[in-house]
Amino acid sequence: AQSVTQLDSQVPVFEEAPVELRCNYSSSVSVYLFWYVQYPNQGLQLLLKYLSGSTLVKGINGFEAEFNKSQTSFHLRKPSVHISDTAEYFCAVSVTGGFKTIFGAGTRLFVKA
Amino acid sequence: NAGVTQTPKFRVLKTGQSMTLLCAQDMNHEYMYWYRQDPGMGLRLIHYSVGEGTTAKGEVPDGYNVSRLKKQNFLLGLESAAPSQTSVYFCASSTSGFTEAFFGQGTRLTVV
């Protein structure tokens, strides 16, 4: 069975600084990987996804993530964050032919002025 | 295009009461899911459905029942609410089990 570990529960960062949110996964078969964002009092929305092809994936709002198969990681990065990026971010994994997506525990990003 | 709609958005229940949460999607998705979100635990899958008339248990199914009588609707029932079921509940839908999921806005349930 697949699993997801988000290595940081909270990440405080100053505005315009770079940020990396870390995600590791485990699976015995090929995976699809996702990052979702949840703004306060809202549902989750897709930030980006890796299905196949280029290991560097670009998403909305200037975020990108890199799939590293050897390290079983899918870290999320942004070169310069804004106050509006304050939210909770979830890494998720599913497998080919699978019935469900497994979510990590979430990383709360605080962007400070 | 409404996407995924959950009703109600907020609810307070007394211990032992029952209720049903309704999820409706207008994207013709086959798969639908119910998750609960608790602080520090991310989203945990309660039940899911791979098509009309089907349901299956997720990670934390105890105390909940579901039904998918119509493709666009997925109902989550609490038969006898307990304080441990205080949580935020999210419904989601997708075209398959390994593609992007679309989420509703959530239902905040408090059991006192």
Side-chain angles (χ1 to χ4, degrees):
Chain A
Q2 66 270 32
S3 66
V4 179
T5 302
Q6 291 185 242
L7 298 165
D8 307 290
S9 59
Q10 297 186 59
V11 174
V13 63
F14 285 103
E15 192 174 22
E16 297 183 5
V19 70
E20 178 180 80
L21 307 184
R22 298 178 295 166
C23 172
N24 283 74
Y25 69 92
S26 67
S27 175
S28 58
V29 297
S30 296
V31 297
Y32 302 115
L33 294 157
F34 307 84
W35 276 99
Y36 288 84
V37 60
Q38 183 183 31
Y39 298 106
N41 300 313
Q42 294 188 25
L44 281 71
Q45 57 184 279
L46 184 70
L47 204 55
L48 49 77
K49 60 187 175 186
Y50 170 78
L51 303 180
S52 64
S54 172
T55 57
L56 183 62
V57 180
K58 295 190 182 297
I60 61 172
N61 301 338
F63 284 92
E64 62 182 32
E66 186 158 17
F67 171 56
N68 188 321
K69 188 174 182 179
S70 63
Q71 297 189 8
T72 61
S73 67
F74 191 54
H75 301 334
L76 181 70
R77 303 184 182 100
K78 186 169 182 178
S80 176
V81 294
H82 303 290
I83 297 288
S84 59
D85 292 323
T86 294
E88 189 154 20
Y89 293 79
F90 292 92
C91 183
V93 62
S94 62
V95 299
T96 306
F99 298 117
K100 53 187 185 265
T101 299
I102 302 299
F103 286 82
T107 297
R108 194 170 294 275
L109 176 64
F110 294 104
V111 182
K112 302 177 285 186
Chain B
N1 193 349
V4 179
T5 304
Q6 292 182 232
T7 52
K9 290 185 170 46
F10 303 92
R11 185 73 185 266
V12 178
L13 282 180
K14 293 183 179 179
T15 298
Q17 287 185 319
S18 63
M19 78 163 293
T20 299
L21 281 65
L22 171 64
C23 177
Q25 54 97 2
D26 61 3
M27 296 172 283
N28 201 35
H29 286 167
E30 290 292 337
Y31 287 64
M32 295 187 75
Y33 311 87
W34 276 107
Y35 292 91
R36 60 177 289 173
Q37 183 179 25
D38 302 291
M41 304 189 75
L43 275 75
R44 292 182 291 168
L45 184 63
I46 304 171
H47 286 282
Y48 64 99
S49 168
V50 301
E52 181 179 312
T54 75
T55 63
K57 294 181 180 180
E59 302 170 71
V60 289
D62 294 342
Y64 305 96
N65 57 73
V66 288
S67 64
R68 183 106 181 261
L69 299 179
K70 293 183 178 180
K71 185 177 184 179
Q72 64 266 34
N73 296 336
F74 195 29
L75 279 62
L76 177 70
L78 283 73
E79 298 167 338
S80 178
S84 60
Q85 294 177 304
T86 293
S87 187
V88 180
Y89 292 85
F90 286 99
C91 176
S93 70
S94 64
T95 55
S96 73
F98 48 92
T99 52
E100 173 189 358
F102 293 81
F103 283 81
Q105 294 294 295
T107 296
R108 187 172 296 274
L109 174 67
T110 302
V111 182
V112 298

